[in-house]
Amino acid sequence: MNYKTLQTIKSPEDLKKLDNPSLTELADEIRNKMIETVSHTGGHLASNLGTVELTIALHKVFDSPKDQIVFDVGHQCYTHKLLTGRYDRFDTLRTKDGISGFCRPTESEHDIFFSGHSGTSISSGLGLATAKKIKNDDHYVISLIGDGSFTGGMVYEALNNGGRSMTKHIIILNDNKMSISENVGAFSKYLAIIRSRPEYYNFKASTEEKINTIPGIGKAISKKLYDIKTDIKSRLYTQSTFFEDLGYRYMGPVDGHNINVLTNALLAAKKVNGPVLLHVITVKGKGYEYAEQHPSLFHGISQFDIETGEPKHKGSSFSDIFGHYVCEHANRDSSICAITAAMSLGTGLERFRREHPMNFFDVGIAEEHAVTFASGLAKNGMKPIFAVYSTFLQRCYDQIIHDISLQKLKIIFAIDRAGFVGEDGETHNGLFDVAFLNTVPDITVYSPCCYRSLEADINNALYADKTSCAVRYPRGGQDEIVKKLRYEFIEYSEYGDMESENLIVTYGRITANAISAVDRIKEQLNTDIGLLSFNRIKPLPDHAVSIISEKKKVWFFEEGVRSGGVGQALALRLIESDFKGVYKLTAIGDEFVHQASVSQLLNEYKLDTDGMFDVISEDI
C-alpha cells in the first residue's frame, strides 16, 4: 500500500501545510493504514475509523502539545498517533515493546494522560484548563469524548463543575449513533452550519458589544435578544438546552467527516470566551464496510481477514460458556437477572439479552450504578448477576462495600478478563480484583481453571452460597490439559503426587501450566511433586490449608498482584498454623504490567511452564 502523504507527516506542523484535497487524501491513507495494521495486531478499529477527519481537523486548528488534546478512553487515538510522529512504528501497535493502543505519555509529549477507562476526559481536561487559567496560559484544552461515555455519571459531575469555569475548555461530543433527534430538520441544520463558521462568532461578538454600549437600554436589549435566541434554540435543538443550562456554549451538530466544516467549527469554538461543547456526528467504522455494518464486532477485534472481515482465530471461551450456563439457569429460574455495563457482547450475554429481555439490563458505561442497581434487585428477591471486566470492576469498590456487603445482600459478580489480558496493556490487565475483594467482608470468590469448575461455581453462587459471590475467569478458553485434574473437592483440585513433601499451589488459568510443570519435574528431575489448585480463593478452604501446612517445600504461583493476593493470604494462614517448611511466592510486584501477548507476560513473570520449572528447580 502506498502512503505517500501519510509518510511525510512527522509532526502536526507538517499537517498544517496541506491543502484540503491533500487532507482528504491523507484521511483515506490513514484509514487504509489502520485496517492493514489492525488486521495483523488486533485493536480498536471501528472507533478509530470514525474519528479520522475529526482528529485531522484538531491537529490542523490547534497547536499540540501546547494545546492539550485529551482522548476519552483513548481507543480512538490511532489517527492522533499517526499524525504525531509515530507512523514509522505504527506496525508495532499493541505488541511487546511497541506503541500502545491507547494514549501513553511516556510514548509521546502529545499523549497527555494514560487512558483506557471511559468518562475521565472532561474532568481531567477541566483540571488542565483551570491550571492554564491560573498560570495565564492562553492555550486551549480539548476533551474528545464519545456519546457512549455520556452514560457514565462522572461525565455529568464534570459538566456540572465546568460550566461555570470560564476556561478555554472545548468539549467535543463525538456522536456516532448515525442519527440525531427527529426535530433537527433542514432549518436547524442550516443554523448549525451558520453557527459553525468563525465569521458568525466575529459578527455576534461585535454586535453584542455595540448593543451593550447603547446608553441606558443596551444591556436590557442584549439580554432580551439572548432570551429570544435561547427560546428558539430550545425548540430546535433538544441537545443544546441541557449544555447551555450548565453554562456551555453549544455548537452543532456538524458533519464529522467533512474536514473543512470541522476546521471552521473548531476555529469558531476558539472565538468563544468560555467553555464550549461542539457536537460532531460521525459514523463508527467509517470507510470499511464490515466495520460500518457491525461496529460492535469491530470495536475491539483480534486479527482478521481484510477481504472477508472474519476473525482468524475462533473457538469457545470462558465468556461464551458463562453466558450459556447463565441462560440455562435462567430458563428454570425467573428471578435471575443479568446486568452489563455496555459489554453484552464481550461478556457473553448476547444470548441472555435475546432470550430473557425482561431480566436483562445494559446500564451503559456506569459500573458503579450497576452494582447499586443490583442491590435494589437483590433486596426485592431477585438474583442479579453483574458481568464485568476485571479492570472496570475497580471502579466499584465503594459500592461493593457500602451497597452490597454492608447491606448483607447477595449479588454475583462474573468477573471477565481476570489476569493478564495482554495487548491492551497497563489499563486493562485484570490483576487487582483479588486483592481488593480480599478486603471485603462476607464475599466468596471463585477462580475456576476450567469450564467444569466454572459451571460448578455458578451453580454454587446462585443456590448454595448465602452471601455475595465473585466468579473470576480469564479471556479466552480452557487448556485441555486441565482434564487431568482430580476433582474430589469442589473448593480445590489435585494433581501429581500429593504424598510428596513438595507441592505447587496455584489457581485459575495457570493451573494448566502447573500441571505441565509437575510432569516435567517428574521426567527431567526425577522428583515427585504434587499440585493443589484452588477453585475457591476466598475464604481459603480449611482442609486445603491443612494439607499445605504439612509440606516441606511449597511454591505458590499467582497471576495477580502479590500485595493482598491469595499467596499472601495463604502465607498468613500457614504462619498461624505453625508451618515449618519453605514457602516461595511468585506473583506480580508493585508495578503496572506493560502490553505484550498473554504468553509473553506469563513467561516474563515466570508463570508459564518454563518459568515454574526454573523457579522450582532452583530449590529442589
Side-chain angles (χ1 to χ4, degrees), residues 449-464:
C449 66
C450 61
Y451 298 158
R452 177 178 174 178
S453 294
L454 175 62
E455 180 180 16
D457 294 343
I458 293 172
N459 188 72
N460 272 356
L462 283 170
Y463 302 112

PDB file of all heavy atoms in Angstrom, residues 449-464:
ATOM      1  N   CYS A 449     -10.413 -22.935  36.873  1.00  0.00           N
ATOM      2  CA  CYS A 449      -9.354 -23.130  35.880  1.00  0.00           C
ATOM      3  C   CYS A 449      -9.893 -23.788  34.611  1.00  0.00           C
ATOM      4  O   CYS A 449      -9.150 -23.950  33.640  1.00  0.00           O
ATOM      5  CB  CYS A 449      -8.235 -23.985  36.463  1.00  0.00           C
ATOM      6  SG  CYS A 449      -8.727 -25.682  36.832  1.00  0.00           S
ATOM      7  N   CYS A 450     -11.167 -24.180  34.636  1.00  0.00           N
ATOM      8  CA  CYS A 450     -11.730 -24.912  33.502  1.00  0.00           C
ATOM      9  C   CYS A 450     -13.243 -24.697  33.458  1.00  0.00           C
ATOM     10  O   CYS A 450     -13.840 -24.173  34.402  1.00  0.00           O
ATOM     11  CB  CYS A 450     -11.414 -26.405  33.612  1.00  0.00           C
ATOM     12  SG  CYS A 450     -12.094 -27.186  35.090  1.00  0.00           S
ATOM     13  N   TYR A 451     -13.852 -25.122  32.370  1.00  0.00           N
ATOM     14  CA  TYR A 451     -15.283 -24.945  32.196  1.00  0.00           C
ATOM     15  C   TYR A 451     -16.071 -25.744  33.238  1.00  0.00           C
ATOM     16  O   TYR A 451     -17.131 -25.302  33.694  1.00  0.00           O
ATOM     17  CB  TYR A 451     -15.701 -25.368  30.793  1.00  0.00           C
ATOM     18  CG  TYR A 451     -15.076 -24.572  29.674  1.00  0.00           C
ATOM     19  CD1 TYR A 451     -14.983 -25.107  28.382  1.00  0.00           C
ATOM     20  CD2 TYR A 451     -14.575 -23.283  29.881  1.00  0.00           C
ATOM     21  CE1 TYR A 451     -14.417 -24.386  27.343  1.00  0.00           C
ATOM     22  CE2 TYR A 451     -13.998 -22.571  28.854  1.00  0.00           C
ATOM     23  CZ  TYR A 451     -13.925 -23.117  27.584  1.00  0.00           C
ATOM     24  OH  TYR A 451     -13.368 -22.393  26.550  1.00  0.00           O
ATOM     25  N   ARG A 452     -15.567 -26.911  33.571  1.00  0.00           N
ATOM     26  CA  ARG A 452     -16.265 -27.745  34.556  1.00  0.00           C
ATOM     27  C   ARG A 452     -16.372 -27.030  35.898  1.00  0.00           C
ATOM     28  O   ARG A 452     -17.428 -27.018  36.533  1.00  0.00           O
ATOM     29  CB  ARG A 452     -15.522 -29.073  34.716  1.00  0.00           C
ATOM     30  CG  ARG A 452     -16.126 -30.007  35.768  1.00  0.00           C
ATOM     31  CD  ARG A 452     -15.368 -31.316  35.819  1.00  0.00           C
ATOM     32  NE  ARG A 452     -15.840 -32.168  36.898  1.00  0.00           N
ATOM     33  CZ  ARG A 452     -15.373 -33.394  37.140  1.00  0.00           C
ATOM     34  NH1 ARG A 452     -14.434 -33.901  36.366  1.00  0.00           N
ATOM     35  NH2 ARG A 452     -15.845 -34.101  38.143  1.00  0.00           N
ATOM     36  N   SER A 453     -15.261 -26.427  36.329  1.00  0.00           N
ATOM     37  CA  SER A 453     -15.281 -25.685  37.597  1.00  0.00           C
ATOM     38  C   SER A 453     -16.139 -24.432  37.482  1.00  0.00           C
ATOM     39  O   SER A 453     -16.823 -24.044  38.442  1.00  0.00           O
ATOM     40  CB  SER A 453     -13.854 -25.304  38.003  1.00  0.00           C
ATOM     41  OG  SER A 453     -13.096 -26.445  38.293  1.00  0.00           O
ATOM     42  N   LEU A 454     -16.113 -23.777  36.326  1.00  0.00           N
ATOM     43  CA  LEU A 454     -16.943 -22.594  36.123  1.00  0.00           C
ATOM     44  C   LEU A 454     -18.420 -22.931  36.306  1.00  0.00           C
ATOM     45  O   LEU A 454     -19.162 -22.190  36.962  1.00  0.00           O
ATOM     46  CB  LEU A 454     -16.700 -22.021  34.721  1.00  0.00           C
ATOM     47  CG  LEU A 454     -17.577 -20.850  34.291  1.00  0.00           C
ATOM     48  CD1 LEU A 454     -17.372 -19.642  35.193  1.00  0.00           C
ATOM     49  CD2 LEU A 454     -17.297 -20.476  32.835  1.00  0.00           C
ATOM     50  N   GLU A 455     -18.844 -24.038  35.741  1.00  0.00           N
ATOM     51  CA  GLU A 455     -20.239 -24.460  35.884  1.00  0.00           C
ATOM     52  C   GLU A 455     -20.601 -24.692  37.345  1.00  0.00           C
ATOM     53  O   GLU A 455     -21.649 -24.235  37.830  1.00  0.00           O
ATOM     54  CB  GLU A 455     -20.483 -25.729  35.078  1.00  0.00           C
ATOM     55  CG  GLU A 455     -21.917 -26.231  35.167  1.00  0.00           C
ATOM     56  CD  GLU A 455     -22.154 -27.488  34.356  1.00  0.00           C
ATOM     57  OE1 GLU A 455     -21.168 -28.145  33.959  1.00  0.00           O
ATOM     58  OE2 GLU A 455     -23.333 -27.809  34.101  1.00  0.00           O
ATOM     59  N   ALA A 456     -19.718 -25.372  38.071  1.00  0.00           N
ATOM     60  CA  ALA A 456     -19.970 -25.645  39.489  1.00  0.00           C
ATOM     61  C   ALA A 456     -20.001 -24.351  40.301  1.00  0.00           C
ATOM     62  O   ALA A 456     -20.830 -24.188  41.206  1.00  0.00           O
ATOM     63  CB  ALA A 456     -18.898 -26.587  40.035  1.00  0.00           C
ATOM     64  N   ASP A 457     -19.120 -23.414  39.953  1.00  0.00           N
ATOM     65  CA  ASP A 457     -19.056 -22.161  40.703  1.00  0.00           C
ATOM     66  C   ASP A 457     -20.312 -21.318  40.497  1.00  0.00           C
ATOM     67  O   ASP A 457     -20.820 -20.705  41.450  1.00  0.00           O
ATOM     68  CB  ASP A 457     -17.822 -21.361  40.266  1.00  0.00           C
ATOM     69  CG  ASP A 457     -16.524 -22.062  40.635  1.00  0.00           C
ATOM     70  OD1 ASP A 457     -16.568 -22.965  41.482  1.00  0.00           O
ATOM     71  OD2 ASP A 457     -15.487 -21.712  40.052  1.00  0.00           O
ATOM     72  N   ILE A 458     -20.812 -21.262  39.275  1.00  0.00           N
ATOM     73  CA  ILE A 458     -22.035 -20.517  39.014  1.00  0.00           C
ATOM     74  C   ILE A 458     -23.202 -21.140  39.770  1.00  0.00           C
ATOM     75  O   ILE A 458     -24.029 -20.431  40.372  1.00  0.00           O
ATOM     76  CB  ILE A 458     -22.324 -20.460  37.506  1.00  0.00           C
ATOM     77  CG1 ILE A 458     -21.262 -19.614  36.798  1.00  0.00           C
ATOM     78  CG2 ILE A 458     -23.720 -19.887  37.230  1.00  0.00           C
ATOM     79  CD1 ILE A 458     -21.345 -19.655  35.302  1.00  0.00           C
ATOM     80  N   ASN A 459     -23.268 -22.449  39.771  1.00  0.00           N
ATOM     81  CA  ASN A 459     -24.343 -23.138  40.494  1.00  0.00           C
ATOM     82  C   ASN A 459     -24.256 -22.852  41.987  1.00  0.00           C
ATOM     83  O   ASN A 459     -25.268 -22.565  42.642  1.00  0.00           O
ATOM     84  CB  ASN A 459     -24.255 -24.639  40.232  1.00  0.00           C
ATOM     85  CG  ASN A 459     -25.449 -25.378  40.787  1.00  0.00           C
ATOM     86  OD1 ASN A 459     -26.555 -25.288  40.276  1.00  0.00           O
ATOM     87  ND2 ASN A 459     -25.232 -26.119  41.872  1.00  0.00           N
ATOM     88  N   ASN A 460     -23.050 -22.926  42.539  1.00  0.00           N
ATOM     89  CA  ASN A 460     -22.862 -22.623  43.961  1.00  0.00           C
ATOM     90  C   ASN A 460     -23.248 -21.189  44.269  1.00  0.00           C
ATOM     91  O   ASN A 460     -23.918 -20.900  45.271  1.00  0.00           O
ATOM     92  CB  ASN A 460     -21.398 -22.845  44.359  1.00  0.00           C
ATOM     93  CG  ASN A 460     -21.128 -24.262  44.771  1.00  0.00           C
ATOM     94  OD1 ASN A 460     -22.041 -25.082  44.830  1.00  0.00           O
ATOM     95  ND2 ASN A 460     -19.875 -24.575  45.036  1.00  0.00           N
ATOM     96  N   ALA A 461     -22.785 -20.273  43.421  1.00  0.00           N
ATOM     97  CA  ALA A 461     -23.048 -18.856  43.658  1.00  0.00           C
ATOM     98  C   ALA A 461     -24.541 -18.557  43.649  1.00  0.00           C
ATOM     99  O   ALA A 461     -25.036 -17.747  44.438  1.00  0.00           O
ATOM    100  CB  ALA A 461     -22.331 -18.018  42.602  1.00  0.00           C
ATOM    101  N   LEU A 462     -25.280 -19.225  42.765  1.00  0.00           N
ATOM    102  CA  LEU A 462     -26.717 -18.976  42.660  1.00  0.00           C
ATOM    103  C   LEU A 462     -27.502 -19.599  43.807  1.00  0.00           C
ATOM    104  O   LEU A 462     -28.455 -18.999  44.318  1.00  0.00           O
ATOM    105  CB  LEU A 462     -27.238 -19.511  41.327  1.00  0.00           C
ATOM    106  CG  LEU A 462     -26.941 -18.671  40.084  1.00  0.00           C
ATOM    107  CD1 LEU A 462     -27.289 -19.444  38.818  1.00  0.00           C
ATOM    108  CD2 LEU A 462     -27.704 -17.358  40.121  1.00  0.00           C
ATOM    109  N   TYR A 463     -27.110 -20.803  44.238  1.00  0.00           N
ATOM    110  CA  TYR A 463     -28.009 -21.561  45.111  1.00  0.00           C
ATOM    111  C   TYR A 463     -27.412 -22.054  46.433  1.00  0.00           C
ATOM    112  O   TYR A 463     -28.153 -22.299  47.367  1.00  0.00           O
ATOM    113  CB  TYR A 463     -28.554 -22.773  44.340  1.00  0.00           C
ATOM    114  CG  TYR A 463     -29.276 -22.359  43.080  1.00  0.00           C
ATOM    115  CD1 TYR A 463     -28.753 -22.656  41.833  1.00  0.00           C
ATOM    116  CD2 TYR A 463     -30.468 -21.633  43.142  1.00  0.00           C
ATOM    117  CE1 TYR A 463     -29.409 -22.262  40.669  1.00  0.00           C
ATOM    118  CE2 TYR A 463     -31.118 -21.230  41.987  1.00  0.00           C
ATOM    119  CZ  TYR A 463     -30.587 -21.550  40.750  1.00  0.00           C
ATOM    120  OH  TYR A 463     -31.229 -21.145  39.622  1.00  0.00           O
ATOM    121  N   ALA A 464     -26.100 -22.175  46.517  1.00  0.00           N
ATOM    122  CA  ALA A 464     -25.513 -22.719  47.741  1.00  0.00           C
ATOM    123  C   ALA A 464     -25.010 -21.628  48.681  1.00  0.00           C
ATOM    124  O   ALA A 464     -25.267 -21.662  49.886  1.00  0.00           O
ATOM    125  CB  ALA A 464     -24.371 -23.679  47.393  1.00  0.00           C
TER     126      ALA A 464
END
